[in-house]
Amino acid sequence: MSRVKRSVVSRARRKKVLKQAKGYYGARSRTFKVAKQAVIKAGQYAYRDRRQRKRQFRQLWIVRINAAAHEHGLSYSRFIAGLKKAAIEVDRKVLADLAVHEKETFAVLVEAAKTALASEDTAQAA
């Protein structure tokens, strides 16, 4: 059986890892052993943070909606409850954008939520 030389494959593998580690500080971009660890760790962070980014954006949208709702005298939870009662289905991303860029449109939604909540309160009182 003939002898197998793998230097071409090994070099290609190392080059691939070092290319991924380009821009890292110090030995993390130059030494294969350290670069491989850094690339693996970076991949773990990237995987985790792709999921966290979704959570963080939702938090940001809720904070913006809450601040805008408070300007109109409603808490975030009452505002969302009012929208559900009024059968208005607008997601938080769009609500946050309306709250920041189109305050008049957001005010209309707040009024709709308030009337839906008021009609529910009168129905419970009767």
Side-chain angles (χ1 to χ4, degrees):
M1 194 159 197
S2 61
R3 180 172 161 222
V4 176
K5 297 183 176 183
R6 298 192 312 215
S7 68
V8 175
V9 176
S10 297
R11 191 177 299 114
R13 186 172 47 88
R14 290 190 194 109
K15 257 178 80 172
K16 184 176 83 174
V17 170
L18 287 172
K19 186 179 178 188
Q20 287 176 314
K22 203 171 220 170
Y24 290 4
Y25 182 81
R28 297 172 133 242
S29 66
R30 292 188 206 106
T31 311
F32 171 73
K33 190 174 180 181
V34 181
K36 186 176 179 191
Q37 293 172 349
V39 166
I40 288 171
K41 195 63 167 176
Q44 290 171 340
Y45 286 139
Y47 179 86
R48 179 197 69 191
D49 292 339
R50 278 195 297 275
R51 278 135 193 85
Q52 281 191 348
R53 180 176 55 218
K54 294 165 183 63
R55 297 175 209 155
Q56 289 167 353
F57 268 106
R58 184 181 166 94
Q59 282 179 328
L60 175 68
W61 298 331
I62 288 172
V63 167
R64 287 180 176 174
I65 295 166
N66 189 29
H70 273 281
E71 286 177 4
H72 296 282
L74 266 182
S75 69
Y76 168 79
S77 59
R78 295 292 291 160
F79 175 60
I80 294 295
L83 288 179
K84 282 196 173 42
K85 297 264 186 310
I88 298 172
E89 291 184 24
V90 182
D91 64 357
R92 285 161 181 81
K93 179 179 179 180
V94 173
L95 281 173
D97 190 57
L98 290 174
V100 173
H101 297 106
E102 297 181 35
K103 295 186 185 299
E104 305 85 29
T105 311
F106 188 79
V108 171
L109 289 174
V110 170
E111 289 308 314
K114 280 183 179 178
T115 55
L117 289 170
S119 65
E120 180 218 338
D121 289 341
T122 57
Q124 283 183 348

